[in-house]
Amino acid sequence: MRTLHRSGTIKKSNASARLVITTIMGMVFGYFIGVSFPFVPLTKINLPSESLSSLDVALNDENHSFGLGRTPLIPKIYVPTNPRGAEALPEGIVVSESDFYPRRLWGEPSEDLKRKPKCLVTFTVGLDQKSNIDAAVKKFPEDFQIMLFHYDGRTSEWDQFEWSQRAIHVSVRKQTKWWYAKRFLHPDVVAPYDYIFIWDEDLGTEHFNAEKYIQLVKKHRLDISQPGLEPNGGLTWEMTKRRGDREVHKDTREKPGWCSDPRLPPCAAFVEIMAPVFSREAWRCVWHMIQNDLVHGWGLDFALRRCVEPAHEKIGVVDSQWVVHQVVPSLGNQGQSENGKAPWEGVRARCRNEWAIFQDRLANADKSYIADH
């Protein structure tokens, strides 16, 4: 009896061992079979349509919370009219323009903006002129977006003004407004704005009304303009001097020999770089003419006429909305004293040098164009 019992137990153990070994071998064999064949996506398997739909829904439901799902096939796209670098995108997804409208971090994007300012007003400022800038900003209603470029690096101190909370602040130390304009006012960024003001910080605006100014600019079809200047000291150009008997003027008489043609600068087609106002279309041209390394903008005022046609009709001075030039040399003090010279002397020397460089570049560009065409 013992022998029979022991023999039955051994046979049962051997059968169990064979079953385990067979199972393991089957798993190993199945693994090698699986890795020997390429992956076949579900869409390649000829399943009944109703089964595939059910499977697709199940997969989508499972992966929905992770933003997953079947990756769509991307067609081969090339749109040569798209902006450079975006030719591989379908036209409907390309957004080539932007703006300075602040947006919320919550809610529906379509409900973010309660208003869309149609004019952009920029001042390049230091904290010493905060009272003057406060007075100037209050001359612009809410339909004008305010943007401050801080050349002294001090921004938080402006929070004392209620309007500062809505303004756009950009701070890079010891830079000029044309340096800022070249880098932060690209035409595709300011495209939503009808007019762009690029103003100095030392302008008295007691007699200036922004809304009336824009009305006059539109009425007289000025693409490049500035308010008339009531000098608080010397006046460089007769063209920009305010005339009290008219709304706008587009030409003037200068000193003998200063104007080779009465329709050319500085007798016409001319405004200064102190307080220019550009239409969207004119700014697109002017921005491209600003040289990246020439930061003071000297000489630019004589070349603005290249961006509008006819220039002697599209460039002018708005007399009935005028400002006072206070002649505060604040930016000059941001220079550096060298060789015993005051900081402002080095800045002024750089201005004159840049003017000469700009004139040379413009003349050479004209010569190259004529030679090539």
Side-chain angles (χ1 to χ4, degrees):
M1 293 296 292
R2 293 176 187 170
T3 303
L4 289 174
H5 182 266
R6 186 183 300 117
S7 175
T9 302
I10 292 172
K11 289 180 180 180
K12 187 174 182 180
S13 299
N14 289 340
S16 298
R18 283 196 298 271
L19 179 61
V20 171
I21 292 172
T22 302
T23 301
I24 293 173
M25 290 180 65
M27 292 172 63
V28 172
F29 180 73
Y31 170 78
F32 283 106
I33 290 295
V35 299
S36 300
F37 288 93
F39 171 72
V40 180
L42 289 174
T43 53
K44 298 295 184 180
I45 301 176
N46 293 322
L47 294 176
S49 58
E50 59 274 11
S51 300
L52 186 58
S53 299
S54 300
L55 180 60
D56 187 42
V57 169
L59 288 173
N60 283 337
D61 287 344
E62 181 180 352
N63 294 325
H64 179 72
S65 60
F66 299 99
L68 302 176
R70 288 191 300 166
T71 302
L73 294 176
I74 300 177
K76 189 67 176 178
I77 294 173
Y78 182 78
V79 185
T81 55
N82 277 357
R84 186 177 63 179
E87 294 87 353
L89 298 176
E91 295 169 285
I93 200 63
V94 173
V95 180
S96 60
E97 297 177 349
S98 187
D99 55 62
F100 289 118
Y101 303 148
R103 290 183 174 272
R104 304 176 302 176
L105 305 184
W106 66 93
E108 289 294 327
S110 60
E111 299 173 357
D112 282 348
L113 304 178
K114 303 302 182 184
R115 61 185 181 89
K116 292 184 178 181
K118 299 305 294 179
C119 295
L120 177 66
V121 182
T122 72
F123 293 97
T124 303
V125 303
L127 192 62
D128 290 343
Q129 291 295 310
K130 67 177 182 179
S131 296
N132 192 59
I133 292 299
D134 177 47
V137 167
K138 289 175 179 176
K139 291 290 185 174
F140 295 91
E142 288 193 354
D143 196 39
F144 292 73
Q145 174 71 60
I146 303 299
M147 187 173 191
L148 299 188
F149 298 132
H150 299 270
Y151 63 74
D152 61 355
R154 303 174 69 179
T155 59
S156 59
E157 292 88 343
W158 293 83
D159 288 346
Q160 65 179 283
F161 303 119
E162 183 273 335
W163 54 261
S164 180
Q165 306 300 317
R166 301 187 303 273
I168 306 297
H169 297 265
V170 180
S171 176
V172 183
R173 291 174 59 84
K174 296 182 181 293
Q175 300 302 321
T176 72
K177 70 177 181 181
W178 298 109
W179 184 93
Y180 281 109
K182 187 65 174 179
R183 287 151 183 83
F184 298 101
L185 301 182
H186 187 281
D188 288 342
V189 176
V190 301
Y193 306 101
D194 294 335
Y195 294 93
I196 300 97
F197 293 63
I198 304 181
W199 280 18
D200 287 355
E201 63 181 339
D202 60 342
L203 301 174
T205 54
E206 181 181 354
H207 304 283
F208 179 81
N209 181 292
E211 291 176 305
K212 291 181 179 179
Y213 184 92
I214 294 299
Q215 290 172 4
L216 290 170
V217 163
K218 292 179 178 179
K219 175 182 176 181
H220 294 275
R221 299 180 180 179
L222 299 178
D223 282 321
I224 301 176
S225 65
Q226 73 162 78
L229 291 181
E230 188 72 18
N232 197 23
L235 187 71
T236 304
W237 308 106
E238 286 294 323
M239 177 64 185
T240 57
K241 184 177 181 179
R242 171 182 172 254
R243 298 181 186 178
D245 59 348
R246 63 194 67 191
E247 290 181 336
V248 165
H249 74 269
K250 301 179 181 180
D251 55 25
T252 191
R253 288 186 178 182
E254 264 293 355
K255 298 177 180 65
W258 279 31
C259 297
S260 59
D261 187 313
R263 290 187 171 185
L264 294 180
C267 287
F270 178 80
V271 296
E272 292 189 69
I273 59 174
M274 180 193 311
V277 180
F278 302 95
S279 70
R280 179 194 302 109
E281 294 76 14
W283 178 246
R284 182 168 290 277
C285 171
V286 172
W287 183 90
H288 284 89
M289 189 165 54
I290 298 172
Q291 304 294 287
N292 201 54
D293 58 333
L294 305 183
V295 298
H296 290 289
W298 278 37
L300 189 63
D301 40 13
F302 280 80
L304 294 176
R305 62 189 178 91
R306 293 170 176 260
C307 288
V308 291
E309 182 65 34
H312 66 279
E313 292 291 339
K314 296 295 185 69
I315 300 177
V317 175
V318 179
D319 296 289
S320 60
Q321 298 301 318
W322 47 282
V323 298
V324 175
H325 185 204
Q326 299 169 339
V327 196
V328 178
S330 50
L331 189 59
N333 295 330
Q334 297 294 309
Q336 182 173 320
S337 179
E338 292 182 343
N339 301 321
K341 295 182 178 180
W344 69 266
E345 292 182 280
V347 172
R348 181 54 62 94
R350 167 81 180 239
C351 290
R352 293 194 179 100
N353 185 40
E354 285 193 5
W355 191 354
I357 293 172
F358 181 73
Q359 287 179 310
D360 288 343
R361 289 181 184 177
L362 202 54
N364 291 334
D366 286 339
K367 291 177 183 177
S368 296
Y369 177 84
I370 293 171
D372 293 341
H373 295 79

